[in-house]
Amino acid sequence: MVTIADVARAAGVSPSTVSYVLSGKRSISETTRRRVHHSIAQLGYRPNAGARALASNRTNVVALVVPLRTDLNVPVVMQFVTATVTEARSHDHDVLLLTADEGAEGLHRVVASSLADAIIVMDVEAAEPRVPVLRELARPAVLIGVPDHPYELTCVDLDFTAAGADCVHHLADLGHRDIALIGPSPAVYQRGTSYAGRFLSGFRATAASRGVEADALACVPTYDGLRDCLDGLLDRRTPVTGLVVHNEAILGPLLSELAKRDLRVPRDISVLAVCPADVAQAQAVPLSSVDLPAVELGRLAVELAMRQLDGHAEPEVRLLPPRLTARGSTGPVVA
Amino acid sequence: MVTIADVARAAGVSPSTVSYVLSGKRSISETTRRRVHHSIAQLGYRPNAGARALASNRTNVVALVVPLRTDLNVPVVMQFVTATVTEARSHDHDVLLLTADEGAEGLHRVVASSLADAIIVMDVEAAEPRVPVLRELARPAVLIGVPDHPYELTCVDLDFTAAGADCVHHLADLGHRDIALIGPSPAVYQRGTSYAGRFLSGFRATAASRGVEADALACVPTYDGLRDCLDGLLDRRTPVTGLVVHNEAILGPLLSELAKRDLRVPRDISVLAVCPADVAQAQAVPLSSVDLPAVELGRLAVELAMRQLDGHAEPEVRLLPPRLTARGSTGPVVA
DNA sequence: TTGAAAGCGATACCAG
DNA sequence: CTGGTATCGCTTTCAA
């Protein structure tokens, strides 16, 4: 193994000089800098991460806590994860992956054993039990999602309340007076998942203010669950004319089922999804949608964590404004 | 921060004794062991990972390299990742996540800077460029997938050749003489992804030996791509009576499309999938399938890596035997 | 069965 | 602008 001493010897300087060349924490003459870099390249030197962490109290690692749940949208989670890794690497950091089943204990472990400098937590609940723990730990932390009481923690998320509102406005503007939200699985609501509740409240409030009749259903992501939802919404005196779907897993089944019932989109019924743009694009009927910016959220989470590591960053709740793109699955009500 | 010295002082022993209590590398009297454990609990001591790594040359971290590709099946990747983390934790290890875009350089980096003790690589290609690098690195490594030349590296995967064979046998046994494989995206074949080619060859060889007419198509995972495939397979003098689908993303669309063409499954056409059991189960028609044991593979990959770390484990290529479960989407040919 | 102390390979302070 | 060196917290030999 090549050590900093080897490099120093080869370059004819002291180890500390090599260290400073690498860290840039003090000025180095151009000539020595060159010599040092040359020796580093020559020898293929890489600083030992453990030694560096021990001496500097910095691991250059961020911990990322991912949910294990299968009722979440997996591709979205994966997009988020890869975006996080990519962004972390661009800040010269690595990512340590934790699963949520380790709970608060896992957070303790990572911090107490100095495995990571900062923590990013996905799948935040409204009454998030990890919030107090994260506060105690006093490490840079970023939550994806907004708990009811974020205290001094930094959070990033899509502005789901605004997204819910935008969806209603979009349909109301097209003349719809009877719409419905097909939301995530009941389990998601039951555990108080942050985004689900916020979307719902934006949806409800705006429906009220626009005078639109709006139903809201949780939908088990299976064919049977979907059929139950649709039965309730369509087999009645005034069937809904617009659907807002906040449940990625059933977009495909929904479109088949509508086709099976001879309902044309958007002529007979409008469909507006909340999902990543590429998913909306790839459906049998390209769907109008509010984009779920998983990649941008991952990027931003890391960036905010880095800012905290670089010193003074005020805790903040950063909500990305929703972007609604019409792709032809939503249209005016046909009388 | 609580250090080993603090614990030693509290327990009235030397630091080395604490270390040995923790590692179990020499015998300790029951009384001191108890005292030490008590102090550890009392003080909430956690060994510093960096210091430990520096002193022991062991990080207790395994690196996991995941693909960034979107043409792969994302839920399967995610299942694999979480299984890996879970199993690693049960061996007292953590997981450092790398993306494949760092390439061979990323592997070098992780090893040279002592960030991980072992490496697990997903999405292996037939002519895997990382194989020579992994050999040079001389660290425990496990490939998920089998390259053409694994040399001395350990590999785990489903036995896709056998899986391809089993699929043909299953349909042939039911009397099908005209079948087709709807495979992954052309891009997957083009880059020589290990599993795709192996499945195909098992499929072809068995079709030949059973005297079954067998087409094989790569399918772009979109509605248009799927329609193209189906057009070719169904609009001909002898339409296929059985489909083997090795492309998870189009299972849903396929079933809708068949319904649209008034083909009943399995009466008019049999459908046999290669995908995780839960995915097969969740389709509009529960699908007969060969299970893709992502969780078991993740678990096994870690186990084999740990074995290598524990000393002498011969390199091996471990192929899990396929398990075909009939769920009613495959049936006898109706004359 | 236990202790003392020499490293492990960096960083960063104190000097010059 | 550069060097010397104490230090980080733990493991592991060497000794008892």
Side-chain angles (χ1 to χ4, degrees):
Chain A
M1 164 178 245
V2 184
T3 74
I4 200 172
D6 299 326
V7 174
R9 210 170 308 123
V13 299
S14 76
S16 56
T17 297
V18 176
S19 176
Y20 284 118
V21 166
L22 252 23
S23 70
K25 289 187 181 173
R26 77 181 181 192
S27 43
I28 302 283
S29 77
E30 191 49 34
T31 52
T32 51
R33 180 206 308 295
R34 245 202 295 281
R35 267 210 313 241
V36 168
H37 274 132
H38 180 252
S39 303
I40 287 177
Q42 201 82 56
L43 301 175
Y45 167 70
R46 308 266 194 168
N48 178 299
R52 176 174 271 187
L54 182 56
S56 67
N57 276 315
R58 281 286 228 115
T59 62
N60 273 38
V61 168
V62 318
L64 174 62
V65 187
V66 301
L68 277 180
R69 313 189 176 283
T70 53
D71 55 358
L72 286 173
N73 195 261
V74 182
V76 172
V77 172
M78 198 68 194
Q79 275 187 39
F80 183 84
V81 169
T82 55
T84 300
V85 174
T86 302
E87 181 71 7
R89 287 301 306 135
S90 84
H91 290 267
D92 194 31
H93 280 242
D94 275 284
V95 171
L96 197 77
L97 196 65
L98 306 181
T99 51
D101 59 348
E102 282 200 67
E105 158 62 16
L107 304 181
H108 263 120
R109 187 176 66 83
V110 162
V111 168
S113 49
S114 293
L115 277 164
D117 301 327
I119 300 180
I120 298 176
V121 177
M122 301 186 62
D123 190 31
V124 166
E125 300 178 10
E128 178 56 55
R130 289 168 294 193
V131 164
V133 181
L134 285 170
R135 289 209 38 173
E136 276 172 32
L137 291 179
R139 294 271 162 158
V142 178
L143 305 185
I144 314 303
V146 186
D148 288 342
H149 303 290
Y151 295 98
E152 304 288 271
L153 297 174
T154 292
C155 306
V156 298
D157 206 350
L158 175 65
D159 187 341
F160 276 99
T161 310
D166 285 4
C167 287
V168 174
H169 282 305
H170 179 70
L171 291 176
D173 290 347
L174 288 167
H176 295 266
R177 319 304 309 165
D178 256 295
I179 66 176
L181 167 64
I182 299 185
S185 174
V188 172
Y189 287 110
Q190 272 157 30
R191 66 169 187 270
T193 304
S194 145
Y195 67 84
R198 287 182 286 135
F199 186 88
L200 179 58
S201 72
F203 177 86
R204 283 226 171 97
T206 309
S209 80
R210 292 289 302 253
V212 166
E213 205 61 45
D215 237 327
L217 301 174
C219 179
V220 180
T222 63
Y223 282 87
D224 287 342
L226 173 64
R227 275 185 217 109
D228 287 349
C229 285
L230 288 181
D231 288 346
L233 297 171
L234 301 173
D235 302 348
R236 58 193 206 185
R237 62 255 111 76
T238 56
V240 298
T241 59
L243 289 176
V244 175
V245 187
H246 187 197
N247 185 329
E248 207 178 311
I250 55 147
L251 289 175
L254 171 65
L255 292 177
S256 326
E257 190 64 23
L258 291 179
K260 199 170 293 174
R261 297 177 188 219
D262 280 324
L263 291 171
R264 311 286 280 166
V265 174
R267 205 182 183 294
D268 303 319
I269 191 165
S270 284
V271 175
L272 179 53
V274 183
C275 66
D278 56 336
V279 172
Q281 193 73 261
Q283 299 299 320
V285 179
L287 297 178
S288 299
S289 72
V290 171
D291 187 27
L292 213 57
V295 169
E296 175 58 13
L297 284 174
R299 214 198 52 64
L300 189 56
V302 172
E303 190 184 309
L304 292 179
M306 293 299 142
R307 255 210 251 297
Q308 291 180 63
L309 284 172
D310 291 347
H312 14 263
E314 297 307 303
E316 60 176 312
V317 174
R318 183 85 72 95
L319 296 181
L320 301 184
R323 274 202 357 148
L324 193 155
T325 305
R327 293 196 182 81
S329 67
T330 46
V333 177
V334 179
Chain B
M1 165 178 245
V2 184
T3 73
I4 200 171
D6 298 326
V7 175
R9 209 170 308 123
V13 299
S14 76
S16 56
T17 297
V18 176
S19 176
Y20 284 119
V21 165
L22 252 24
S23 70
K25 287 188 181 173
R26 76 179 183 194
S27 43
I28 301 282
S29 76
E30 192 49 35
T31 53
T32 50
R33 180 205 311 293
R34 245 201 296 279
R35 268 210 312 242
V36 169
H37 274 133
H38 180 252
S39 303
I40 287 176
Q42 202 81 56
L43 301 175
Y45 166 70
R46 309 266 195 170
N48 177 299
R52 175 172 271 189
L54 183 56
S56 68
N57 273 314
R58 281 285 229 118
T59 62
N60 274 37
V61 168
V62 317
L64 174 63
V65 188
V66 300
L68 277 180
R69 314 190 175 284
T70 52
D71 55 359
L72 286 174
N73 194 260
V74 182
V76 172
V77 173
M78 198 68 193
Q79 276 188 39
F80 183 83
V81 169
T82 55
T84 300
V85 174
T86 302
E87 181 72 5
R89 287 300 307 133
S90 84
H91 290 267
D92 194 31
H93 280 242
D94 275 283
V95 172
L96 197 77
L97 197 64
L98 306 180
T99 52
D101 59 349
E102 282 200 67
E105 157 61 17
L107 304 181
H108 263 119
R109 187 176 65 82
V110 162
V111 167
S113 50
S114 293
L115 277 165
D117 301 328
I119 301 180
I120 297 176
V121 178
M122 300 186 63
D123 190 33
V124 166
E125 301 179 8
E128 178 57 55
R130 290 167 295 192
V131 164
V133 180
L134 285 170
R135 290 210 36 171
E136 276 172 31
L137 291 179
R139 293 270 163 161
V142 178
L143 306 186
I144 313 302
V146 186
D148 289 341
H149 302 291
Y151 295 101
E152 303 288 272
L153 296 174
T154 292
C155 307
V156 297
D157 206 350
L158 175 64
D159 187 339
F160 276 100
T161 311
D166 285 4
C167 288
V168 174
H169 283 307
H170 179 70
L171 292 176
D173 289 348
L174 287 167
H176 296 266
R177 318 307 307 166
D178 256 294
I179 66 177
L181 166 64
I182 299 185
S185 172
V188 172
Y189 287 110
Q190 274 157 29
R191 67 169 187 270
T193 303
S194 147
Y195 68 84
R198 287 182 288 134
F199 187 88
L200 179 58
S201 72
F203 178 85
R204 283 225 172 100
T206 308
S209 80
R210 293 290 302 252
V212 166
E213 206 61 45
D215 238 327
L217 302 174
C219 180
V220 180
T222 64
Y223 283 87
D224 288 341
L226 173 64
R227 274 185 220 111
D228 288 348
C229 285
L230 288 181
D231 288 345
L233 297 171
L234 302 174
D235 303 348
R236 59 192 206 186
R237 61 258 113 75
T238 56
V240 299
T241 59
L243 290 176
V244 175
V245 187
H246 187 197
N247 186 329
E248 207 176 313
I250 56 148
L251 289 175
L254 171 66
L255 292 177
S256 329
E257 190 65 22
L258 291 178
K260 199 171 293 173
R261 297 177 188 219
D262 280 325
L263 292 171
R264 309 287 281 168
V265 173
R267 206 182 181 296
D268 304 319
I269 191 164
S270 285
V271 175
L272 179 54
V274 183
C275 66
D278 56 336
V279 172
Q281 194 74 259
Q283 299 299 321
V285 179
L287 297 178
S288 300
S289 71
V290 170
D291 187 26
L292 214 57
V295 168
E296 175 59 13
L297 284 174
R299 213 197 52 64
L300 190 56
V302 172
E303 190 184 309
L304 292 179
M306 292 300 142
R307 255 210 252 296
Q308 292 179 63
L309 284 172
D310 291 347
H312 15 265
E314 297 308 304
E316 59 176 310
V317 175
R318 181 84 71 98
L319 296 181
L320 301 184
R323 275 204 356 150
L324 192 156
T325 305
R327 292 196 182 80
S329 67
T330 46
V333 178
V334 179

